[in-house]
Amino acid sequence: MNAGQTTSVIQTGAGKSCSRAEFFSLLNTYNCFLKDKSHLQLTVEEKAGKVTFEGNLVISWGVKKPIQLQIQDEKQIFPNESKVKSPDPISPPGNKRGMTRWGEFDDLHHIDKLEEAGSAKPENPPKDYIEYESKTLRPSQPVPISEESSYLIRATSDASLVKMRVKSKKMVESQRNRNHRFSINGHFYNYKTSVFTPSFGATTNVHISSQMTTQEVIIQLLQKFKIENTPNEFALYCIHQSGEKRRLSSSDLPLWERLLQGPSNSIMKIFLMDADEHEISLDVAQYLNLEMPILKVILQKLEEQENQEVQRIIAK
């Protein structure tokens, strides 16, 4: 009997619970609403009679104070990033170099410098002197100069193509390393704008489980974007369509809160805001969206009721 009760009731937080049937009804409604956004749907797992679920939680930026981003990943040295070595495009098999002169070029990255240093032609060349191109090391051929053309088009040499391939490989590797971090609205770290405030209302996703508390979710979000600010500077707030703003405590479970409130962001949004942000109760929130003339009429009636109560107490 006790075992049946533990499996039929699911804990939704500190001192909160719901029935198993109610939970799966909420979960099916949640995923059905997000059928066109499968990446936001929740997946459930049950182990030893304990039900947990996980998925992406949509969080909106609502901080007012500037945040500090960490240094770029590309300035770090990755263990899998080895030094790029230029291949030897014309050496025969067995690592035997067939051209002694080509062996002098240990690194294709220095060809441009070597070209400038060795481009000068001897003043009195011997009869058997053969001039080679500095990049391809092939015998140079006289190029007929056309009278109609005022300039010559310089073709890209084989060595330049090898150099371009080497650079492209390094650029691809650097881009791959840069992709290890996320950006806030396309904003990565740089020295000029490393401290900035995200646009209010911009959304981001963080993958969490139903067992993660508010504090753990904030820590994971800061680690995702590599923010140097401490987690105690921020808090998660549930802002409802009515205007109610409620702060989640450090022990609350944000994914459970999202499931219980439903998946629609038009009804309720979860914001990451400054920890000193004030809450707004439902009683106060119901007056926020009213027009000013209506608010003045309500205030006038409240003053009349207050005066009547004062006169009643004086008469008594």
Side-chain angles (χ1 to χ4, degrees):
M1 184 69 181
N2 293 335
Q5 289 179 353
T6 55
T7 55
S8 61
V9 178
I10 300 176
Q11 298 296 326
T12 63
K16 303 177 183 178
S17 62
C18 68
S19 65
R20 188 183 184 90
E22 185 181 0
F23 165 72
F24 281 102
S25 176
L26 289 172
L27 184 66
N28 291 334
T29 303
Y30 190 99
N31 289 338
C32 183
F33 183 86
L34 298 173
K35 61 181 179 180
D36 297 332
K37 300 178 181 179
S38 58
H39 65 285
L40 296 179
Q41 292 180 345
L42 303 177
T43 57
V44 64
E45 183 179 3
E46 185 173 0
K47 288 184 179 180
K50 188 175 183 179
V51 177
T52 59
F53 58 96
E54 62 181 20
N56 289 325
L57 178 65
V58 179
I59 298 179
S60 302
W61 292 98
V63 296
K64 297 179 180 178
K65 299 177 182 178
I67 62 175
Q68 172 75 46
L69 297 182
Q70 295 178 5
I71 299 177
Q72 285 177 327
D73 289 354
E74 63 180 357
K75 294 186 179 298
Q76 302 175 3
I77 299 177
F78 293 87
N80 59 348
E81 184 176 359
S82 59
K83 183 179 179 180
V84 179
K85 295 182 179 180
S86 304
D88 188 358
I90 61 174
S91 294
N95 295 329
K96 296 180 180 179
R97 296 188 175 272
M99 297 181 65
T100 304
R101 188 175 179 187
W102 182 258
E104 298 174 0
F105 298 98
D106 296 329
D107 192 349
L108 290 178
H109 294 283
H110 301 153
I111 279 186
D112 288 342
K113 298 179 181 178
L114 293 173
E115 177 190 3
E116 295 176 0
S119 60
K121 183 178 178 181
E123 298 179 357
N124 299 318
K127 295 181 179 180
D128 57 348
Y129 174 79
I130 301 177
E131 183 180 359
Y132 292 91
E133 295 179 0
S134 60
K135 291 186 177 181
T136 61
L137 301 182
R138 298 171 180 171
S140 60
Q141 299 179 358
V143 180
I145 302 176
S146 174
E147 295 179 358
E148 299 177 358
S149 177
S150 60
Y151 61 92
L152 297 177
I153 300 177
R154 182 178 181 181
T156 304
S157 63
D158 296 340
S160 297
L161 293 177
V162 174
K163 181 179 178 182
M164 291 172 61
R165 284 201 303 271
V166 172
K167 284 187 175 181
S168 299
K169 185 176 180 181
K170 289 189 67 177
M171 291 174 63
V172 171
E173 185 72 14
S174 176
Q175 181 65 29
R176 187 180 67 82
N177 292 334
R178 244 194 328 265
N179 291 339
H180 280 284
R181 79 176 303 163
F182 297 87
S183 67
I184 303 176
N185 296 344
H187 186 104
F188 289 97
Y189 175 94
N190 63 69
Y191 292 100
K192 294 182 179 179
T193 60
S194 60
V195 179
F196 79 111
T197 303
S199 301
F200 186 87
T203 60
T204 183
N205 300 333
V206 58
H207 191 85
I208 61 173
S209 69
S210 59
Q211 296 177 318
M212 295 180 64
T213 62
T214 301
Q215 190 73 4
E216 293 173 340
V217 173
I218 293 176
I219 292 175
Q220 182 162 327
L221 182 62
L222 298 185
Q223 290 177 350
K224 175 182 177 180
F225 292 99
K226 302 189 181 301
I227 298 175
E228 289 188 349
N229 301 62
T230 60
N232 295 331
E233 299 180 34
F234 306 100
L236 291 181
Y237 288 81
C238 293
I239 299 182
H240 296 260
Q241 186 180 19
S242 60
E244 178 187 3
K245 183 192 297 184
R246 181 173 60 87
R247 175 174 175 171
L248 297 179
S249 65
S250 58
S251 59
D252 283 339
L253 307 176
L255 197 57
W256 266 110
E257 191 70 28
R258 179 77 273 179
L259 177 64
L260 295 175
Q261 296 295 332
S264 177
N265 284 326
S266 60
I267 297 177
M268 191 272 288
K269 292 183 179 180
I270 297 180
F271 273 80
L272 179 72
M273 311 184 81
D274 300 325
D276 56 356
E277 191 75 19
H278 295 290
E279 295 183 271
I280 299 176
S281 64
L282 181 60
D283 295 335
V284 176
Q286 62 182 342
Y287 297 106
L288 295 179
N289 297 325
L290 297 179
E291 299 293 337
M292 186 58 66
I294 299 178
L295 292 176
K296 289 182 178 180
V297 172
I298 295 175
L299 182 61
Q300 183 179 357
K301 290 184 177 181
L302 291 175
E303 290 178 351
E304 292 177 357
Q305 293 177 1
E306 182 181 5
N307 293 332
Q308 291 176 1
E309 185 66 19
V310 170
Q311 294 299 327
R312 187 183 66 82
I313 293 176
I314 293 176
K316 185 178 179 179

